[in-house]
Amino acid sequence: MEAIKKHFFSDMGVMLGRSMRHITRSLDTIITVCITPIAMMLLFVYVFGGAIQAGTDNYVNYLLPGILLIAIASGIAYTAYRLFMDKQRGIIERFHTMPIARSAVLWGHVLTSLVSNFISVVVIILVALIMGFRSSAGVLPWLAVAGILVLFTLALTWVATIAGLSASSVEGASAFSYPLIFLPFISSAFVPTESMPSVVRAFAENQPVTSIVEAIRALLSGQPVGNDIWIALAWCIGIMLVAYLFAMRAYKKRV
């Protein structure tokens, strides 16, 4: 059993290295993922910020959690694209003929998504600091924020895996991410839900992004988190488990 585990992690490391080399040779993917959220953050803070009543003097503090989620939702589209291209070119089948753990191929893409999105998140936070973002949170709240973002990334990455394995075209592989990118706009990411019409407000307050944004915002500001963190964790873990099961089913059909 120990030898099997060692073999699996070794194979997974090789697959991770392969995918990361693809990214380092095409840095425009990370740049693209970073530029759009950063441009949105600049637009909302310096153009719309004065007109938005968010109940805070530092709007970038209010805005940052939603921007991070948008960046992750954008980034996982590339996971679906890379997986689709591996499938389309027959690379997955080629790996299956080699003496490597078959699930390591899939996990290589998943871990690459975590690493690349981590880089994007760090870049966006650095830009936010230049724009005036400040946090009174200690080490533990920051670790909690990191944990939530990791779970959110994993949940969306497994959704992306389903799309990458099931799509019949490059456009179809990445198109699923558009509703995910749009979802933060119908949440408390940009404005408080109290300002929304009743029907929109009902949807905004009961969709996963709002609870995740509110939990991260409270942690970064040093405020009590309340039930938001448990609701956020429940959403992330629930989506991740369901997506994982469907992704593995789609993958096994190709084995």
Side-chain angles (χ1 to χ4, degrees), residues 183-243:
L183 205 56
F185 290 95
I186 316 176
S187 72
S188 62
F190 295 92
V191 296
T193 57
E194 290 79 5
S195 64
M196 301 177 182
S198 57
V199 175
V200 178
R201 177 180 177 180
F203 174 80
E205 291 180 345
N206 293 282
Q207 59 121 321
V209 170
T210 293
S211 57
I212 297 171
V213 163
E214 292 293 341
I216 294 175
R217 189 177 288 144
L219 287 167
L220 292 180
S221 62
Q223 300 297 318
V225 181
N227 291 327
D228 284 320
I229 190 168
W230 303 115
I231 298 172
L233 291 175
W235 273 113
C236 290
I237 294 173
I239 293 171
M240 181 175 64
L241 291 177
V242 172

Side-chain angles (χ1 to χ4, degrees), residues 79-92:
T79 301
Y81 169 77
R82 289 190 295 268
L83 194 54
F84 173 81
M85 295 307 296
D86 278 357
K87 179 191 74 171
Q88 192 74 0
R89 295 168 180 169
I91 294 176
I92 293 178

Side-chain angles (χ1 to χ4, degrees), residues 12 14 46 59 65 70 82 104 119 123-124 127 133 144 169 226 233:
M12 189 168 59
V14 172
Y46 294 124
Y59 185 55
I70 289 175
R82 289 190 295 268
I119 295 171
V123 170
I124 292 169
V127 174
F133 167 71
S169 66
L233 291 175

Side-chain angles (χ1 to χ4, degrees), residues 45 54-64 128 131-135:
V45 171
T56 176
D57 294 331
N58 193 345
Y59 185 55
V60 68
N61 279 19
Y62 186 90
L63 187 66
L64 182 61
M131 294 173 61
F133 167 71
R134 296 295 180 267
S135 172

Side-chain angles (χ1 to χ4, degrees), residues 89-161:
R89 295 168 180 169
I91 294 176
I92 293 178
E93 285 75 8
R94 196 177 306 168
F95 281 138
H96 288 168
T97 64
M98 299 179 182
I100 62 175
R102 295 189 172 185
S103 59
V105 178
L106 210 57
W107 276 103
H109 284 284
V110 172
L111 292 180
T112 301
S113 174
L114 277 177
V115 174
S116 60
N117 278 295
F118 171 78
I119 295 171
S120 301
V121 164
V122 170
V123 170
I124 292 169
I125 291 175
L126 290 176
V127 174
L129 286 169
I130 296 172
M131 294 173 61
F133 167 71
R134 296 295 180 267
S135 172
S136 59
V139 175
L140 288 179
W142 271 104
L143 289 176
V145 169
I148 293 173
L149 292 177
V150 166
L151 286 175
F152 183 74
T153 303
L154 283 173
L156 294 195
T157 299
W158 284 113
V159 174
T161 301

